[in-house]
Amino acid sequence: MIVLRPSARSRTMSEALLISVIQKLNSSYIEYMTVMTSNHFIDWVIKEVREIADIVRDKKLEDGRRLNFLVSDIVSMAEHALDLYKQDGTNYTASFRPWIELIKQQMLKLGDDEAEMESNMRSPENVEDDMKYVVGLEEDVQMLLRKRIIGGYHMTVLITGMSGIGKTTLAREIYNHPTVIERFKRRVWVSNYFTHFTNKELLIKVIQQVEDPQNLHSSSLLENMDNRSLLDMLSQHLQGKRYLIVLDDVPRNMYFNPLLRALQKEDNGSRLLLTSHTRNTGIYTRDEDVHKMKPLDSKKSWQLFLKTINHGNKLTGEHKFPKSLEPKGKQMLRKCDGLPLAIKEVGKQLVEKKLSGGSEWEQLLESVDFGSTLKLLEPFYHKLDPALESCFLYMSFFKENTTLRAEKLTQIWIAGGVVSGYCGSYLDGLINESVIDVKDKSTKYRMNALLHMLSIQKAEDKLGFEILRKNGNNRSFPSPRLHRVIICSRDKFNYSTDQDKHLLSLFFHGGGYFDTSPSYWNSFEELNILDLEDFGLKNLPESISTLIELKYLGLRNNYIEELPDLLGCLKNLEVLDISQNFMVEVPNVIWRLRSLRHLYMSDMVCRKSLWFDILENLETLTYVSVANWTYELLGLNMLTSLKKLGIEELDGNSNVSKLFVSLADLKNLKHLILRGYRFRSMPSLEEIGILQSLESLKLDGLLARLPTNLPPNITSLTLIDSCLDEDPMALLAGKLPKLEYLKLRNAYTGQQMVILRNGFQRLQVMCIEELWNLRNLQSDALTFWFKKLEIHDCPNLTLPENILSMSYLNELNMVTTKSIATKMRNSDLISKIPVVNINP
């Protein structure tokens, strides 16, 4: 229990309010001490309110609007926390912590230059914005109206995406749509353009827009009321009315629960529409109620560009953009990566330059500066979750417009000391904050090109990052660099002998001949990360052994013929990626890398056994030949940490019985990949059922038939190039009760596939690819639960009605023929699916 500290000096009204609520909490603490086994939650709330009261006292904050709003929020939250605790005695610390921390941060900023800065709350009818430049939102508007605003069952809808993607524009299109105006008796729009948005401000702005104009309360009267009274007033104003409330640019982790309780008293079709760069808004939203905005495609990007430069007819006659330069203009526009904010900014920039200087269009296209666009994206960076800032800055190390593997991302973060332990929450965080988009089953990601530029700009200042271009004009920095990217052409690689001994990360992009003297590496005494992936490297020098602090060595997809023996000197190496180096010779030194946690290999030549079975820290091993595994290992008792294993070169002669018996001893093995030997058929895998702890299974290669006895705990199953002549869905039905993800690529040669009743009760995602002969897909839709269906390159398959009408199906992605795509788009059935992408 926290005892109040008496204060001899006079208190401000805000401090007095905080002390009063602490006294109330203390009373409850004593009252409930005899009936509750633990009062830790109330204890924690008292402590947090006490700290905020100390901030008010120590900073000698005078009562003002901003302080009043923040204190009202903390008092309201303390009272709400107490109410919840009285109901069931549950500890709600995790629910309240983020918003309380944000209030503390805002309190600490009071008294600085931005002390009494007003939040820029604006109504869409009174704001001159870029509505005149709207392109490509028709489908989004219709889908949201039909499936979530007018239709749908849930009150809350979230539009999310990175800054400049068009979230606010889409919300305004909906807000001002004639159908919405007719349906909702009350419409409210509240925008937040600063980080110090408060619940009290929100309530006041909403009340002012729903009140009867004849009975408007003054702002000063509303500001003197507490949050609970404001909530009661709002409930009275909305009683019996169907309303649409739009909260634009909602900050992270705002505590909305009291507001939601007030709004949800009547189930009459009212809607709360939010826009935010993050899914962590403080309001729980189901996946089907989240609309993730996507960049414009090349066609719509060009339409928006032309609309921007032609607006107002400022350019006339010979000044207009010439048709002959359209290809060059589209090439320039690729750098905008479909971001409307960037396209409009570039268009306006070109018009201004054309009007002021009269330069030729071709010259203007070559001189486009994205600096102003990056400045517009600055708020996005500042709104990022602070825990994700370093992860965002590390994105600068990778190539622009590249597909990023989840494993590589997290391993670079760990090697750089950015994160430790489980990294899934950081990946999820970057997705939720709209920094990266998922490309494939949460294992591959992509970052917008403009965000990548911003990460480079920020990393140069924050991380000590630099990019060196071969024979190019390189920027000089006043302080030593800690992280470096070297971009080369196919010419001989030139390097400086004046290297920075404090360099921690070194990435090579492009391609070139790696012709350096041994002394090149001598100065990299502290290097942790060396990445040469896709570089075109042929020889790895022996002198790389001097990098004794190296933790990550990326050599994937090169032309390396042989690894040096001195590679074994890298005692701190945790990640070694030498996969996709065809027939690379690997000496018997791997066993010396005792810190190794992740080892990626393929198509390797080993003249002696590698003895990696003694690497007790090894978590990932892909791929090792079945012969090496079953005949050359000394024992598996040391591989206690192995979680993911890839075995390749399986054929009819492979001893799979011995293989599965050995794998059964690996108690932590969760992910297994079995790959066949070229075009030979894989052996029978019937004995795989003994791997009871297996959760993810990938079979890559020809199969005569599927095993009938699969491990029962599998949640993810992938079949690639299996070319089965029996329907795999019929064979799998009922055998994998926990299956959530199923992918079939060139896995079946038949024409008909049947999804049997009650066969897949937990299936969430189903991917069908390259089933060239498949014509009919039959299913009992009532027994199907999956939310996402992907169909790529099945040119003869048209989906039946019972598949499209599945009530749980939330997303359909389809790449098919033009005729089938047209037929699907014209079908009324897909109108029931929230997210539909059909190409071409």
Side-chain angles (χ1 to χ4, degrees):
M1 177 178 174
I2 296 180
V3 180
L4 292 175
R5 296 195 298 268
S7 175
R9 65 179 179 80
S10 61
R11 298 187 176 96
T12 64
M13 185 179 297
S14 295
E15 187 183 352
L17 279 173
L18 292 170
I19 296 301
S20 174
V21 79
I22 292 174
Q23 291 172 337
K24 184 177 180 180
L25 290 167
N26 268 324
S27 299
S28 296
Y29 185 98
I30 297 171
E31 177 185 349
Y32 281 85
M33 185 178 294
T34 57
V35 296
M36 297 292 185
T37 57
S38 172
N39 280 346
H40 292 319
F41 177 56
I42 295 183
D43 219 357
W44 176 80
V45 176
I46 294 173
K47 173 180 173 293
E48 295 298 320
V49 179
R50 178 77 259 173
E51 287 184 10
I52 289 176
D54 288 343
I55 292 173
V56 175
R57 179 189 302 110
D58 295 342
K59 286 181 67 74
K60 296 182 174 60
L61 296 175
E62 297 296 329
D63 285 319
R65 293 184 74 250
R66 179 61 48 197
L67 182 60
N68 171 274
F69 291 154
L70 292 171
V71 170
S72 292
D73 272 16
I74 198 66
V75 169
S76 172
M77 283 181 32
E79 291 174 344
H80 184 56
L82 184 57
D83 290 343
L84 291 174
Y85 187 73
K86 287 179 178 180
Q87 290 174 16
D88 55 19
T90 304
N91 190 328
Y92 292 95
T93 303
S95 301
F96 288 88
R97 185 183 299 279
W99 189 240
I100 287 182
E101 289 299 322
L102 191 56
I103 288 177
K104 283 184 188 176
Q105 294 172 19
Q106 294 173 19
M107 286 279 193
L108 291 170
K109 290 180 180 178
L110 291 180
D112 298 335
D113 293 339
E114 55 177 334
E116 292 295 325
M117 187 185 296
E118 289 289 330
S119 288
N120 191 1
M121 306 291 188
R122 302 183 288 182
S123 173
E125 297 94 338
N126 302 324
V127 177
E128 179 95 32
D129 198 61
D130 292 330
M131 298 297 289
K132 51 187 174 285
Y133 301 127
V134 175
V135 166
L137 292 181
E138 298 84 1
E139 292 181 4
D140 298 77
V141 170
Q142 291 303 318
M143 189 277 291
L144 277 170
L145 287 175
R146 184 174 64 250
K147 301 174 183 177
R148 288 167 180 154
I149 304 299
I150 307 301
Y153 304 100
H154 304 136
M155 179 182 181
T156 305
V157 181
L158 172 64
I159 300 174
T160 186
M162 64 174 287
S163 289
I165 200 75
K167 302 183 297 295
T168 300
T169 305
L170 175 57
R172 284 178 180 159
E173 290 279 294
I174 292 169
Y175 184 88
N176 293 319
H177 197 278
T179 305
V180 169
I181 295 173
E182 180 181 354
R183 179 177 176 81
F184 297 98
K185 298 300 181 184
R186 290 285 186 271
R187 292 181 305 131
V188 176
W189 182 288
V190 181
S191 292
N192 165 51
Y193 292 94
F194 293 99
T195 57
H196 46 251
F197 196 53
T198 65
N199 268 297
K200 184 163 187 174
E201 282 175 298
L202 170 62
L203 290 169
I204 291 172
K205 293 299 179 181
V206 173
I207 289 171
Q208 287 176 331
Q209 293 184 54
V210 299
E211 273 189 307
D212 189 323
Q214 297 179 347
N215 300 314
L216 279 177
H217 291 82
S218 66
S219 295
S220 58
L221 176 64
L222 295 175
E223 289 175 11
N224 288 327
M225 296 172 66
D226 61 30
N227 288 27
R228 186 163 289 187
S229 300
L230 291 171
L231 281 168
D232 291 340
M233 179 182 288
L234 178 60
S235 296
Q236 292 174 11
H237 285 312
L238 294 177
Q239 188 173 5
K241 301 180 180 69
R242 183 187 291 139
Y243 54 83
L244 170 69
I245 297 178
V246 180
L247 305 183
D248 181 36
D249 199 12
V250 175
R252 181 189 311 100
N253 294 326
M254 190 169 180
Y255 193 72
F256 281 108
N257 283 17
L259 173 63
L260 282 177
R261 291 174 67 185
L263 296 179
Q264 291 174 339
K265 287 184 177 179
E266 294 186 66
D267 184 12
N268 59 0
S270 295
R271 294 289 183 266
L272 178 62
L273 177 61
L274 315 175
T275 76
S276 181
H277 75 283
T278 178
R279 280 198 62 169
N280 300 326
T281 58
I283 294 183
Y284 171 74
T285 45
R286 301 165 182 84
D287 289 342
E288 56 266 33
D289 297 325
V290 177
H291 181 76
K292 180 69 178 286
M293 295 202 67
K294 297 181 179 180
L296 299 177
D297 58 27
S298 57
K299 182 179 179 181
K300 291 176 181 176
S301 294
W302 186 247
Q303 290 174 356
L304 180 58
F305 174 72
L306 291 179
K307 196 169 186 178
T308 304
I309 63 174
N310 292 330
H311 176 73
N313 296 316
K314 294 179 180 179
L315 300 173
T316 58
E318 69 278 5
H319 293 299
K320 284 198 170 185
F321 190 87
K323 181 75 174 176
S324 59
L325 286 180
E326 183 172 326
K328 191 158 189 173
K330 289 181 176 178
Q331 184 178 3
M332 176 276 300
L333 216 55
R334 288 177 191 165
K335 296 180 181 179
C336 296
D337 206 5
L339 190 67
L341 174 76
I343 296 168
K344 289 183 282 191
E345 181 65 19
V346 165
K348 293 173 186 176
Q349 182 186 134
L350 290 173
V351 169
E352 291 174 4
K353 288 184 177 180
K354 185 66 178 175
L355 291 173
S356 62
S359 302
E360 295 296 328
W361 276 109
E362 188 168 7
Q363 204 174 3
L364 291 174
L365 290 174
E366 293 173 352
S367 64
V368 169
D369 179 17
F370 286 93
S372 57
T373 302
L374 296 184
K375 193 168 184 179
L376 291 173
L377 288 176
E378 283 264 352
F380 177 83
Y381 169 74
H382 293 298
K383 290 177 185 176
L384 286 178
D385 186 336
L388 299 174
E389 182 180 357
S390 294
C391 295
F392 173 77
L393 297 177
Y394 265 56
M395 303 299 282
S396 61
F397 301 165
F398 302 98
K399 297 177 184 177
E400 179 184 319
N401 289 322
T402 191
T403 299
L404 302 166
R405 300 189 308 278
E407 290 178 331
K408 182 173 182 178
L409 268 177
T410 57
Q411 288 160 7
I412 292 292
W413 293 340
I414 292 173
V418 173
V419 300
S420 60
Y422 177 68
C423 297
S425 59
Y426 293 92
L427 284 169
D428 291 341
L430 291 181
I431 295 169
N432 290 336
E433 297 273 319
S434 304
V435 173
I436 56 178
D437 292 319
V438 180
K439 296 292 288 183
D440 178 31
K441 194 198 163 190
S442 299
T443 61
K444 294 181 180 178
Y445 306 94
R446 185 184 178 278
M447 186 181 195
N448 182 275
L450 271 302
L451 278 189
H452 185 257
M453 287 187 200
L454 184 63
S455 72
I456 291 174
Q457 184 185 85
K458 294 301 176 182
E460 288 176 344
D461 297 331
K462 301 274 187 176
L463 287 183
F465 173 68
E466 69 176 349
I467 296 178
L468 297 182
R469 292 176 173 83
K470 177 186 176 295
N471 299 327
N473 294 323
N474 295 303
R475 181 180 170 188
S476 59
F477 295 92
S479 57
R481 301 288 93 186
L482 300 178
H483 308 275
R484 179 176 298 153
V485 164
I486 297 177
I487 300 178
C488 309
S489 66
R490 288 289 175 181
D491 298 329
K492 183 178 178 180
F493 169 60
N494 295 321
Y495 60 93
S496 170
T497 56
D498 183 21
Q499 301 295 337
D500 188 348
K501 67 178 182 178
H502 299 298
L503 199 67
L504 300 176
S505 307
L506 182 58
F507 289 72
F508 286 84
H509 295 172
Y513 298 103
F514 200 81
D515 185 17
T516 60
S517 68
S519 62
Y520 175 74
W521 301 104
N522 292 340
S523 58
F524 297 135
E525 299 173 4
E526 300 179 13
L527 196 67
N528 295 146
I529 301 169
L530 176 60
D531 186 47
L532 291 138
E533 183 172 337
D534 303 326
F535 188 65
L537 188 65
K538 290 186 176 181
N539 298 301
L540 191 66
E542 292 274 359
S543 54
I544 203 168
S545 62
T546 61
L547 307 179
I548 57 174
E549 296 298 325
L550 203 62
K551 294 180 180 179
Y552 181 98
L553 178 57
L555 303 171
R556 178 182 292 237
N557 195 27
N558 281 287
Y559 304 105
I560 301 173
E561 298 176 355
E562 182 179 3
L563 295 181
D565 289 335
L566 290 179
L567 186 72
C569 296
L570 303 179
K571 301 297 185 181
N572 293 305
L573 196 65
E574 296 179 2
V575 182
L576 174 60
D577 189 347
I578 55 174
S579 61
Q580 300 180 30
N581 285 273
F582 184 66
M583 302 302 287
V584 57
E585 185 170 336
V586 183
N588 184 22
V589 295
I590 299 295
W591 64 273
R592 297 172 59 188
L593 306 175
R594 304 305 289 269
S595 298
L596 205 60
R597 296 175 58 209
H598 305 281
L599 175 59
Y600 303 94
M601 308 179 292
S602 59
D603 297 318
M604 59 182 181
V605 176
C606 307
R607 304 195 184 279
K608 294 183 179 180
S609 176
L610 298 183
W611 299 348
F612 44 69
D613 49 324
I614 66 174
L615 298 176
E616 58 185 354
N617 295 313
L618 201 62
E619 298 177 18
T620 305
L621 175 57
T622 60
Y623 290 89
V624 57
S625 74
V626 65
N628 284 347
W629 182 268
T630 54
Y631 296 113
E632 297 185 16
L633 300 187
L634 298 176
L636 298 174
N637 58 310
M638 297 287 286
L639 291 175
T640 56
S641 301
L642 195 64
K643 299 175 182 177
K644 182 177 181 179
L645 173 65
I647 302 287
E648 63 181 358
E649 299 182 0
L650 278 84
D651 61 15
N653 298 318
S654 302
N655 189 341
V656 290
S657 295
K658 187 175 181 181
L659 170 66
F660 292 141
V661 168
S662 67
L663 296 183
D665 291 333
L666 303 175
K667 302 305 181 184
N668 287 314
L669 185 65
K670 303 298 182 185
H671 310 278
L672 177 63
I673 307 169
L674 299 179
R675 179 187 286 177
Y677 185 70
R678 299 185 182 175
F679 301 106
R680 300 178 190 176
S681 182
M682 294 173 68
S684 171
L685 304 176
E686 282 298 324
E687 297 174 63
I688 197 172
I690 66 173
L691 306 181
Q692 294 287 305
S693 62
L694 210 60
E695 296 177 359
S696 174
L697 176 62
K698 180 178 179 180
L699 303 179
D700 184 352
L702 289 170
L703 286 172
R705 65 190 308 274
L706 276 176
T708 57
N709 184 26
L710 287 165
N713 293 311
I714 287 180
T715 59
S716 174
L717 176 63
T718 300
L719 302 178
I720 296 178
D721 294 334
S722 304
C723 297
L724 296 163
D725 53 15
E726 290 184 80
D727 181 358
M729 301 305 293
L731 294 170
L732 293 170
K735 296 179 180 177
L736 299 174
K738 298 182 180 180
L739 189 66
E740 298 176 359
Y741 176 89
L742 176 62
K743 181 175 182 178
L744 306 174
R745 188 207 298 170
N746 192 26
Y748 176 49
T749 59
Q751 296 184 10
Q752 180 170 297
M753 186 180 289
V754 180
I755 304 173
L756 298 178
R757 177 182 295 272
N758 298 323
F760 304 92
Q761 290 296 310
R762 295 192 183 182
L763 193 61
Q764 299 285 310
V765 180
M766 182 173 177
C767 303
I768 303 174
E769 299 180 8
E770 300 175 19
L771 302 188
W772 308 106
N773 300 324
L774 187 63
R775 294 180 179 274
N776 299 313
L777 183 62
Q778 298 180 8
S779 168
D780 182 348
L782 296 177
T783 66
F784 232 4
W785 296 81
F786 62 73
K787 297 181 179 180
K788 184 177 181 180
L789 176 61
E790 294 193 358
I791 300 176
H792 293 179
D793 299 318
C794 300
N796 297 304
L797 177 63
T798 301
L799 292 177
E801 291 186 9
N802 64 344
I803 292 287
L804 295 175
S805 60
M806 289 187 300
S807 58
Y808 288 90
L809 189 59
N810 185 53
E811 182 176 350
L812 171 64
N813 297 314
M814 195 168 184
V815 177
T816 184
T817 62
K818 186 174 291 186
S819 60
I820 293 179
T822 302
K823 182 178 180 180
M824 293 291 295
R825 289 193 189 97
N826 294 332
S827 171
D828 291 335
L829 293 170
I830 65 171
S831 64
K832 301 176 182 179
I833 306 172
V835 180
V836 176
N837 298 300
I838 299 177
N839 291 300

